[in-house]
Amino acid sequence: MLTKNSLLNLNWTKTNGMIPAIIQDYFSNEILMHGYMNKEALLKTQKDGLVTFYSRTKNSLWTKGETSGNYLKVIKISTDCDHDTLLILVVSTGKTCHLGNVSCFFSKKNNINFLFELEKIIENRKNKLLTNSYTSSLYKLGTSRIAQKVGEEAIETILAAMKKNKNELINESSDLIYHLIVLLHDQNLNLNLVLNNLKKRRKKDSSINP
């Protein structure tokens, strides 16, 4: 959340009391939407931990998700260098766009965004345990079976590499990554934690061998 000093430094005069707020997915970095906040909306967002805009149509505060249930849980709020725009990292509880899309912007998804979208689907299958879902069936069988599948796919990936069969290697790698994500969520972990760990290792390696 913003510190008291950061709040005081925001340029409300330049923005006529209505500061733009860009909403970005904490895990995928995808831009989800943007809106405007007056001081009251920003303070409410800070207090409740849910994104609240000032609706210029309704002339009132509007907590995103108050009707749809698709709330935006705030992880971090920061400002740009001019202190006239907010960047808010969130975890969304559903589709952000009123048209039923993940994002209000129609930009092409990059591969890493697809991985985080896949992760959301896997978490959903874990929680709802659908009868016709392979992912749900894995969670019903439990940790041992999921871990076994990761092991099997790892071995098949190795064998594909040893055979120098590129198509098979791509297919087996896909199976391995999918089952690894399933295992991470089985343990209440996620891909973002792994990526953060890799970044920490990279920083450590860079300090040793810059």
Side-chain angles (χ1 to χ4, degrees):
M1 298 300 175
L2 287 179
T3 64
K4 187 176 180 181
N5 281 340
S6 296
L7 276 170
L8 292 173
N9 287 334
L10 287 173
N11 195 334
W12 294 102
T13 304
K14 181 179 178 182
T15 58
N16 294 319
M18 206 68 71
I19 202 160
I22 299 168
I23 310 301
Q24 185 176 29
D25 189 284
Y26 173 70
F27 294 113
S28 69
N29 288 332
E30 185 173 9
I31 301 299
L32 300 178
M33 65 176 297
H34 99 288
Y36 292 88
M37 292 182 175
N38 60 7
K39 288 181 181 177
E40 189 181 1
L42 178 55
L43 290 173
K44 183 172 173 54
T45 297
Q46 291 248 109
K47 177 175 175 289
D48 297 345
L50 299 173
V51 171
T52 296
F53 297 110
Y54 183 84
S55 170
R56 294 173 298 171
T57 305
K58 300 175 183 175
N59 289 322
S60 63
L61 297 186
W62 166 56
T63 298
K64 170 64 182 166
E66 63 187 12
T67 303
S68 65
N70 295 338
Y71 292 100
L72 298 172
K73 184 180 178 183
V74 177
I75 302 298
K76 183 180 180 181
I77 304 176
S78 57
T79 69
D80 69 343
C81 53
D82 294 326
H83 305 287
D84 59 6
T85 303
L86 297 171
L87 177 65
I88 303 180
L89 298 181
V90 303
V91 173
S92 61
T93 58
K95 304 288 179 65
T96 300
C97 178
H98 72 289
L99 297 178
N101 300 317
V102 172
S103 169
C104 294
F105 297 95
F106 299 101
S107 58
K108 184 179 178 182
K109 291 182 186 301
N110 60 37
N111 288 343
I112 194 71
N113 282 351
F114 168 75
L115 264 184
F116 288 111
E117 196 171 308
L118 174 65
E119 205 173 19
K120 285 183 179 178
I121 294 171
I122 289 173
E123 179 68 16
N124 177 273
R125 298 294 187 270
K126 172 188 148 184
N127 294 328
K128 293 189 175 177
L129 293 179
L130 303 178
T131 55
N132 58 349
S133 162
Y134 172 70
T135 307
S136 292
S137 70
L138 285 174
Y139 285 117
K140 288 176 185 174
L141 293 171
T143 302
S144 296
R145 178 56 181 154
I146 297 170
Q148 182 185 0
K149 285 297 296 180
V150 172
E152 290 173 2
E153 300 302 342
I155 291 171
E156 289 171 6
T157 300
I158 293 168
L159 293 175
M162 296 304 291
K163 287 192 290 185
K164 300 190 181 304
N165 185 325
K166 292 184 179 179
N167 285 334
E168 190 174 331
L169 180 57
I170 290 171
N171 279 324
E172 295 303 342
S173 297
S174 302
D175 289 341
L176 176 60
I177 291 171
Y178 160 76
H179 284 95
L180 182 59
I181 295 174
V182 171
L183 181 62
L184 286 171
H185 280 256
D186 176 70
Q187 301 294 302
N188 296 317
L189 300 173
N190 58 59
L191 194 58
N192 199 54
L193 294 170
V194 176
L195 294 178
N196 285 337
N197 192 48
L198 289 171
K199 285 161 68 178
K200 284 181 186 174
R201 290 185 185 182
R202 173 60 185 152
K203 283 183 182 177
K204 188 177 178 181
D205 290 344
S206 297
S207 64
I208 296 172
N209 297 305

